[in-house]
Amino acid sequence: MQFMKQLLGAGSGFRPPTNNTEELAQLHEGELYILRKNSAKGSRECIYTTALASVRRTETPFHYQLVITRAYQEGEAELLDDLDEGEEEEREFTLREELKPRIGSFEGNTTFIWRDLDEADSSWSSSDENLYEFVVDSRRTDAQTFATFLEAILRAIYEQKHGKGSEKLSFDQLRVMYKIESDGPAQQEPLPDAVEVVRDDEYLDREEGELYKWDNDLQGFVAPDIIKNPIEVRVVQTGQYQYYLIIKYKGHKILGHQVTDDMNGKGNSAIRSFTWNHTTSRGQIEAWSIVFPYPESYTRFVNAMGQCIYEVQNAMDWSKIKDVEQEYVLTAMTEDVEMSDAQSDEAEVEDVLAEDSEDVDDESDQEAPDWGTKNERNSGLAVGHNGISVVLRGSNVGIFRETTDGKLELGGTVKGVKGPAKNARVFNPSKMMLHEQDRSLVLMNPDNLHSLYRMDLETGKVVDEWKLNDNVAINAMTPVEKLAQLTGEQTLLGTSHNAIFRVDPRVSEQNKLVESDMKQYVTKNKFSSLVTTERGHIAVGSEKGDIRLFDALGKNAKTMLPALGDAIRGIDVTKDGRWLIATCKTYLLLVDTQIGTGKNAGSSGFTKSFPADAKPKPKKLQLRPEHVAFMGAKIDFSPAKFNTGLDAKETAIITSNGPFVIAWNFSKVKKGILDSYDVKRYTGNVVEDNFSFGNDKDIIVTLQDDVLMLPKRQLTKVGGRKSLNQPATERKSHSNIVNAPF
């Protein structure tokens, strides 16, 4: 940022050429990137590793071009002649206002950024625009040279638009005209149009505070060196259910971040801070934080943000929900509440962690045989109680076994899953569940959601098709009790978008759905997941974000927990039903189901209703925004699970995000320490993970092309680049990685 200060303080170094020379200004060394918002190729692609940037005249008066020319190191051109045949050596861009030039930074270097007009629509919309970025080597290009180049760019744009010379305008005037200001703080990126038009008296909340930005190099939050705290933060509305967080400094708007579900906003009342993530137009994820001087200002701001986030996610006015539901939503945003069951098992958990700190043996050189095809990817995991794990890969099923030395081996495969009928077609199962003491595998066919299919794991064949109901399309299933998988229980539970029902393959009728045990709703509740306790109590989550607790099938829910606005993509409970963990895209929601007040105090929300004015106090488990900035990718959690077993006590919560396995310390979470988690990174994305049955020390991890056993002691506290940014395969590995693909 020192370069930026020098640039904004630099005088004009631009001198119009005395003749019709072609080049007006140059940057002699840099790198050219294209930045894509929506592309399978990734958000950042290097076009030229070494390049020259020039502002060039054309034969048309007042028309200029920005030209990026590929450069070569000595001997490199000859080496690449054969490889790069047909590749452009030069890229030209007509300089005009629609390019919207701006200044940025990348890895400590100043960058010049402009829009890719070839990808813009006829209205020059920026909603899906690509950007070009020329990264300047700040060690070899001083601020004065960059200022001269920038001035040539701005003058060329002005002259193209107005058809006349720009001699009467100063560099400072041009910078103000094109929003590259010199008499105020430099913007991180252009302000959104919606923010630019907000009047000074339009805001929902306005507070003073101190602004900080996460610095990956320093590994800490630092005040941006373009400002001097304090700043003013505002929450403003720019449209129906559209809100922005605006930062002002000395009367200038310097930041405008839209409130979205990817914002990952996190309040901390102990230090009166609010921290969030922001994804720039170049696809980089930043972490920002505001510290407020007084508890009152912190509370006002967090409440305002909570209301805005709720309205954005639900498309519903905050004023239309009940006071108790408003409190439920706001409580989930802060991390200052100790759960009521937090005091009992800390010593036990610390002992477990101490045991896990022992050294681990080196990885075995044993390789498992390949199976499946390389153009398919793993898509699901089911962990059994007797040491087996089942993995889906396209239309294939792989059965893995845990060995006595803590490794995984491929025990068998089933290729080309299809129904029992002679003319049945091969299908790719979408979901599965181990059943009947792990002797059977129940499969869902996405092409026929009106049936379930049972595979006999001893023969590897699908032997039964359980037809349900032509009007019911199953989307989730679970055992009738938490540990029913350990028994010969044949029935199971399922959900459709608006019904909860029992499936009993023993009934004589063709349809195996038990109509008398079905709870069906008239409205489309969009049920998405369900789970049971060891007593058979049922929790059901929905795409709307609400959660229902039932004491038995076929009855009304005893408790309904309001939606925060995000779809529930997975749900789990402790065996006794005391704790529930629901997975949303960007956070996990932990709920204590024990009623704390009223006539039913001490009872479970599964069997009794919470008082109308006293919902439970949920807690969001989130990744810290600075850790998300380290990870460099948006949050997209896989369904979280507790460790479980016949006699095991729940001590941890496991999930994944991209290539990261993440485990929360459940005991500390109950104490209100919500960011007590460990991580491990892999080179590929994690599809699904779960604890080995009966212990919390080993984690079964399914990557897109690998399956492995991960000792929990290999997870590390998040402390910087090493724990987050170094993939497991780049360090000494102790995991049993089964040869890819398997």
Side-chain angles (χ1 to χ4, degrees), residues 475-495:
N475 59 18
M477 56 185 170
T478 196
V480 293
E481 295 175 356
K482 181 80 171 179
L483 300 178
Q485 174 186 343
L486 278 64
T487 72
E489 175 64 45
Q490 296 187 47
T491 67
L492 57 91
L493 303 184
T495 58

Side-chain angles (χ1 to χ4, degrees), residues 63 115 264 309 362 366 478 482 507:
H63 283 69
R115 296 176 63 204
N264 194 33
I309 291 171
D362 289 345
Q366 178 184 353
T478 196
K482 181 80 171 179
V507 299

Side-chain angles (χ1 to χ4, degrees), residues 348-394:
E348 177 181 342
V349 173
E350 293 300 330
D351 289 342
V352 170
L353 295 179
E355 293 173 8
D356 286 349
S357 66
E358 300 172 1
D359 293 336
V360 293
D361 296 331
D362 289 345
E363 178 187 350
S364 171
D365 292 331
Q366 178 184 353
E367 292 187 358
D370 292 346
W371 69 279
T373 59
K374 292 186 177 181
N375 62 349
E376 294 176 323
R377 295 291 180 264
N378 299 335
S379 59
L381 168 70
V383 176
H385 76 280
N386 60 358
I388 74 165
S389 295
V390 181
V391 177
L392 293 178
R393 187 182 183 87

Side-chain angles (χ1 to χ4, degrees), residues 196-258:
E196 290 276 27
V197 299
V198 173
R199 297 200 312 266
D200 201 53
D201 60 347
E202 294 178 329
Y203 55 86
L204 301 178
D205 186 51
R206 180 180 68 178
E207 307 292 346
E208 186 178 278
E210 295 180 352
L211 179 67
Y212 298 93
K213 182 182 179 182
W214 180 258
D215 188 307
N216 276 342
D217 294 323
L218 298 177
Q219 297 189 26
F221 279 100
V222 297
D225 57 10
I226 57 173
I227 66 162
K228 185 177 180 180
N229 280 314
I231 51 84
E232 181 182 281
V233 55
R234 296 186 177 202
V235 182
V236 302
Q237 183 170 11
T238 58
Q240 186 178 27
Y241 309 130
Q242 185 179 75
Y243 297 91
Y244 278 84
L245 186 156
I246 294 177
I247 303 295
K248 297 187 71 176
Y249 177 65
K250 292 186 176 180
H252 295 268
K253 298 171 185 173
I254 62 171
L255 290 179
H257 294 173
Q258 187 171 2

Side-chain angles (χ1 to χ4, degrees), residues 331 410 497 552 653 693 702 724 741:
T331 299
L410 182 61
H497 70 90
I653 300 167
F693 187 86
T702 302
L724 282 172

Side-chain angles (χ1 to χ4, degrees), residues 311-354:
E311 291 198 3
V312 167
Q313 294 176 335
N314 290 276
M316 178 186 295
D317 291 345
W318 176 257
S319 60
K320 292 184 178 180
I321 64 173
K322 300 176 181 178
D323 290 347
V324 65
E325 294 180 358
Q326 291 181 358
E327 182 182 0
Y328 179 87
V329 172
L330 295 177
T331 299
M333 287 194 63
T334 57
E335 53 179 64
D336 57 351
V337 176
E338 179 173 320
M339 302 294 196
S340 59
D341 186 36
Q343 73 284 352
S344 59
D345 55 359
E346 178 69 12
E348 177 181 342
V349 173
E350 293 300 330
D351 289 342
V352 170
L353 295 179

Side-chain angles (χ1 to χ4, degrees), residues 454-508:
R454 183 180 75 87
M455 175 184 288
D456 184 335
L457 287 179
E458 295 180 358
T459 64
K461 295 182 179 180
V462 174
V463 294
D464 291 313
E465 178 183 354
W466 299 336
K467 294 184 179 180
L468 304 178
N469 184 310
D470 290 340
N471 298 317
V472 174
I474 190 169
N475 59 18
M477 56 185 170
T478 196
V480 293
E481 295 175 356
K482 181 80 171 179
L483 300 178
Q485 174 186 343
L486 278 64
T487 72
E489 175 64 45
Q490 296 187 47
T491 67
L492 57 91
L493 303 184
T495 58
S496 67
H497 70 90
N498 70 335
I500 311 164
F501 50 85
R502 185 187 308 275
V503 177
D504 189 347
R506 300 168 301 181
V507 299
S508 58

